[in-house]
Amino acid sequence: MNRVSTIVARLNEGKRLSTASLAAEFETSDRTIRRDIALIKEVFGEFLINDNGMIYAIQKELLDNVLTPDEISLLKGALGLAERGGLSLTKKMDKKEREKLTGKISEYERLYTFKTRPFEEFNSRPELFRELERAVKFHQEIRIDYLRDGEASVFIARPYSIVFLNENFYLASELFHEGIPSLLLSRVAMIQSIESTGELFRPDPSFLKFVERFQTSWAKYYPKADGTFDEREVKLQISGEVARYFKLKKFLPSQKVVSHLDDGDIIVTYTVTSVWEMVPLCRQWLPHIQVHYPRSLREILLREAQAAVEKLRQQPARTYGGCKRG
C-alpha cells in the first residue's frame, strides 16, 4: 500500500510518471506497477492517461475533483489508524507527501462535520496487523487462535484480505471443511494469535472476486462448478413514506431503484450472496417494506416478527408510581 499511496500523492501533484522508472525505484516489475495503476483506477475512477508508459492525471487535485466528502473522512480515519499502528499504508510514505495529503484533508474539516461511529483501534496490537499483512501478501496458510464470548477456537485458513467493515477490522480467509471452501470472517480484535503452517497457497480467482464483492459480515461463499460463486437477487417494495431515504442513499453497494409506482412506493433490488445479508436492513425498515422475493427472506422476517410479538405478550405488566401499565 505504501507504493500505491506514493503514486497517488505524485499524481495529485500533477507529475508525469514512468512505469519503468517506478518499477526500478520500488525494485519491482512493470507488471506489478501496472497492477498498482489498475487499483488506483478502480478506486478513483478513470482519470488517468497512459501515454506510451507515461502516466498522468487528467485532473491534478484528486481530493478536489475525485473524492467525495465522506470518502475524504474515511481516508483521514484510515491514514490516522495506519500512522498510530505503524502499518504499511503510511510508514514509508514521503514526509512532504504525507503532510500535503493530511493538510488538504484538514481544509475539508473546516467545511464538513461527520458524526460517525468511532473506528476500531489497533495501535495496541500493531505486530498482529503486520503479521496479518505478511500472511496476506505472501499467501501463507495460517493457524488462527480465536476467542469469542469466552469460547476458544482454532482454524487453519488461507487469508485473502484485511477488511474494514462497519467500523471494525476483519480477516477474510478461505476455510476448508471436507474439501469444501467457505468464507471465514474473523474479527481481528478477537484473534489471539496467528502462526504460519509453513504452507503457501495459490489464490482462487473465484474467492478473490467474492472478497471484492461481498457487502456485509453475513456474506456466504457458495462456489459453483463454472468457477463463479452463487449470488441471488432480492426484490423489495419500499413504502412511499420512507422511499426518499432509499433514493438518497445506497444501504448496500448493490442497491438499485428499478421502478417508481403510482402510489409513491418504489421497487428496489439487491444482489447478495445470502439472504441473511438482507435481514438487518429489513428489520430496520419494517413495516415499510414488502419482500417480493426470495420467499426464504420473507419467512425469516415473519418468524422473527412472530417471536417478538410472543415475547412481548409474555412480559408482565409493570407498575409505575402506583399506576399499572401494560
Side-chain angles (χ1 to χ4, degrees):
M1 284 301 297
N2 62 293
R3 244 193 352 260
V4 175
S5 300
T6 302
I7 292 171
V8 167
R10 291 177 185 176
L11 289 169
N12 191 46
E13 294 173 352
K15 293 180 178 179
R16 297 171 67 93
L17 307 178
S18 162
T19 53
S21 297
L22 289 171
E25 177 183 348
F26 292 107
E27 299 180 349
T28 188
S29 65
D30 279 8
R31 183 178 179 182
T32 297
I33 296 298
R34 287 195 296 272
R35 283 202 299 266
D36 291 343
I37 298 299
L39 174 61
I40 293 170
K41 284 185 176 181
E42 183 177 339
V43 173
F44 295 111
E46 293 289 340
F47 72 99
L48 298 181
I49 296 293
N50 188 337
D51 183 11
N52 294 322
M54 297 297 295
I55 307 297
Y56 61 94
I58 298 173
Q59 299 168 318
K60 180 180 176 183
E61 294 294 339
L62 301 185
L63 292 175
D64 282 341
N65 301 314
V66 178
L67 294 184
T68 61
D70 58 329
E71 290 169 336
I72 292 166
S73 175
L74 180 60
L75 176 61
K76 179 196 173 186
L79 289 173
L81 288 172
E83 287 283 348
R84 292 192 293 277
L87 301 187
S88 63
L89 179 64
T90 59
K91 65 182 179 181
K92 294 184 180 179
M93 197 174 180
D94 181 85
K95 182 180 179 181
K96 290 184 178 179
E97 293 168 342
R98 184 166 60 245
E99 287 176 351
K100 181 172 182 178
L101 187 58
T102 54
K104 193 66 178 178
I105 291 171
S106 296
E107 291 181 22
Y108 281 87
E109 288 188 302
R110 293 193 291 270
L111 304 175
Y112 296 91
T113 300
F114 293 87
K115 300 295 186 181
T116 58
R117 286 174 287 178
F119 294 106
E120 181 177 62
E121 292 283 357
F122 54 74
N123 52 307
S124 62
R125 304 182 69 197
E127 184 55 38
L128 173 62
F129 275 84
R130 286 193 282 270
E131 290 176 2
L132 293 174
E133 286 182 353
R134 286 194 292 269
V136 171
K137 181 177 181 179
F138 297 109
H139 312 309
Q140 299 173 337
E141 184 182 76
I142 57 174
R143 168 195 165 111
I144 302 173
D145 290 297
Y146 200 67
L147 184 65
R148 179 178 180 180
D149 298 330
E151 184 177 341
S153 303
V154 176
F155 304 101
I156 303 297
R158 297 176 174 181
Y160 277 70
S161 182
I162 301 168
V163 180
F164 188 61
L165 181 66
N166 298 330
E167 289 77 43
N168 296 315
F169 288 95
Y170 295 86
L171 179 66
S173 306
E174 190 176 24
L175 182 70
F176 286 84
H177 179 68
E178 297 181 352
I180 299 175
S182 63
L183 169 68
L184 175 65
L185 201 59
S186 310
R187 178 87 173 268
V188 173
M190 299 180 185
I191 295 177
Q192 302 304 294
S193 65
I194 67 166
E195 182 180 355
S196 172
T197 66
E199 299 291 330
L200 302 180
F201 66 92
R202 184 186 298 274
D204 182 339
S206 172
F207 196 81
L208 273 172
K209 189 68 174 178
F210 168 79
V211 171
E212 292 174 5
R213 289 178 61 89
F214 83 82
Q215 303 164 90
T216 78
S217 58
W218 294 94
K220 301 293 181 184
Y221 178 63
Y222 299 110
K224 297 165 73 173
D226 62 0
T228 61
F229 53 89
D230 185 50
E231 291 184 296
R232 61 196 67 190
E233 186 177 75
V234 173
K235 187 175 183 180
L236 305 179
Q237 183 169 333
I238 311 299
S239 165
E241 297 176 56
V242 298
R244 62 186 179 278
Y245 300 112
F246 287 78
K247 295 176 185 178
L248 292 170
K249 175 182 177 179
K250 282 190 173 185
F251 289 93
L252 291 178
S254 63
Q255 177 179 305
K256 293 180 182 178
V257 178
V258 296
S259 63
H260 297 74
L261 305 183
D262 293 339
D263 61 359
D265 289 6
I266 60 173
I267 303 298
V268 178
T269 63
Y270 298 86
T271 302
V272 295
T273 62
S274 164
V275 295
W276 285 100
E277 290 199 81
M278 294 300 305
V279 172
L281 177 61
C282 291
R283 285 185 193 134
Q284 179 183 352
W285 290 100
L286 285 174
H288 299 292
I289 63 169
Q290 299 178 45
V291 179
H292 283 213
Y293 57 77
R295 181 177 177 180
S296 57
L297 175 59
R298 186 163 56 244
E299 291 174 345
I300 290 170
L301 296 173
L302 181 60
R303 286 198 302 270
E304 288 193 350
Q306 290 172 338
V309 169
E310 184 61 29
K311 187 174 182 179
L312 286 171
R313 285 176 175 166
Q314 293 175 1
Q315 289 180 0
R318 298 183 183 275
T319 301
Y320 297 88
C323 299
K324 185 176 182 181
R325 299 183 182 180

